Amino acid sequence: NAGVMQNPRHLVRRRGQEARLRCSPMKGHSHVYWYRQLPEEGLKFMVYLQKENIIDESGMPKERFSAEFPKEGPSILRIQQVVRGDSAAYFCASSEDRVPNSPLHFGNGTRLTVT
Amino acid sequence: AQKVTQAQTEISVVEKEDVTLDCVYETRDTTYYLFWYKQPPSGELVFLIRRNSFDEQNEISGRYSWNFQKSTSSFNFTITASQVVDSAVYFCALSGTNAGKSTFGDGTTLTVKP
């Protein structure tokens, strides 16, 4: 029973490049959430998606960041023209469809380093 | 707006000591949920417990126990007879009716020395 799968585990990008982070939710889960953890800080909510829909993106930076969760395939968090301040751990989580307050099942995160 | 405060940034104890991690929250919601997560040095997040706002019963799970007090807006976490493997960052989190959109505290780094 695979958990939430995130890849890559580590990603290094130079300033100005694009970063694509992937997240496959647990089987049967169609709710996906992205969080960012800056060094020495807690997790901050970024975006909540269901299949083909962005439900809540109140935590997403207005520029350079986008997220999608297509009908087929993993959820993607895309960061364009990365800057050093984007260096962080990005966590994806999924939840069960019918339980509005089930706990989040987190992936192991993607550590993005911008050089 | 929701807020979670973990006032203890770092705690260091010697193995077998008991340790309590504090969590204070703020919310205007009447229905809300509180969580504790563990983040070991390997970096993943491990769910420990969820508590809803209508259930103030304390809970014990092995060496772990949680004390939820609405009157003081606190949800404290106690580890009894700590072990080296308990060394990790512990996060308290709060959500409204959508657990996916949780507000996390900044975490408490617990170091248990042998």
Side-chain angles (χ1 to χ4, degrees):
Chain A
N1 182 20
V4 178
M5 304 298 293
Q6 288 189 251
N7 66 82
R9 189 72 192 268
H10 299 275
L11 181 62
V12 179
R13 286 287 179 265
R14 284 196 290 269
R15 277 183 300 170
Q17 291 185 320
E18 178 179 284
R20 288 166 62 93
L21 289 63
R22 293 175 181 76
C23 169
S24 296
M26 285 182 69
K27 187 176 180 180
H29 290 191
S30 62
H31 300 243
V32 165
Y33 311 84
W34 285 93
Y35 282 78
R36 176 165 67 175
Q37 184 181 26
L38 294 170
E40 311 298 325
E41 293 187 14
L43 282 73
K44 298 290 192 291
F45 169 80
M46 298 181 75
V47 62
Y48 162 37
L49 310 104
Q50 293 182 21
K51 286 282 186 181
E52 300 185 278
N53 285 305
I54 297 174
I55 307 302
D56 184 337
E57 56 181 348
S58 56
M60 286 277 273
K62 293 286 185 280
E63 298 177 350
R64 301 188 297 107
F65 285 72
S66 62
E68 63 177 12
F69 189 17
K71 188 176 180 181
E72 302 291 337
S75 175
I76 306 287
L77 179 67
R78 182 181 291 108
I79 311 172
Q80 296 177 307
Q81 299 174 355
V82 295
V83 300
R84 289 225 171 98
D86 296 332
S87 295
Y90 292 83
F91 287 91
C92 169
S94 69
S95 67
E96 294 179 61
D97 297 339
R98 295 185 189 135
V99 183
N101 284 288
S102 58
L104 298 179
H105 297 266
F106 280 90
N108 287 337
T110 293
R111 274 96 186 142
L112 171 66
T113 302
V114 179
T115 61
Chain B
Q2 297 182 333
K3 185 178 179 181
V4 175
T5 301
Q6 295 179 255
Q8 304 149 308
T9 305
E10 297 181 9
I11 299 176
S12 181
V13 299
V14 176
E15 209 170 17
K16 298 185 183 176
E17 285 185 12
D18 298 346
V19 58
T20 295
L21 310 181
D22 297 333
C23 173
V24 175
Y25 63 91
E26 295 176 28
T27 181
R28 292 179 183 166
D29 293 337
T30 52
T31 300
Y32 54 89
Y33 295 79
L34 294 159
F35 305 83
W36 275 95
Y37 293 88
K38 175 183 179 179
Q39 187 175 41
S42 49
E44 72 271 24
L45 276 163
V46 179
F47 165 79
L48 296 177
I49 191 172
R50 176 188 71 187
R51 191 43 108 221
N52 73 54
S53 52
F54 299 108
D55 182 2
E56 286 194 72
Q57 274 193 331
N58 291 330
E59 181 157 338
I60 298 174
S61 176
R63 295 185 296 108
Y64 294 170
S65 63
W66 291 269
N67 181 4
F68 175 30
Q69 291 195 343
K70 283 180 80 170
S71 60
T72 56
S73 297
S74 65
F75 186 43
N76 297 337
F77 172 31
T78 297
I79 303 174
T80 302
S82 59
Q83 300 176 1
V84 173
V85 293
D86 295 328
S87 297
V89 182
Y90 290 86
F91 292 99
C92 180
L94 165 70
S95 76
T97 53
N98 182 357
K101 189 176 179 181
S102 292
T103 299
F104 280 73
D106 285 339
T108 295
T109 300
L110 174 64
T111 302
V112 181
K113 299 178 182 176

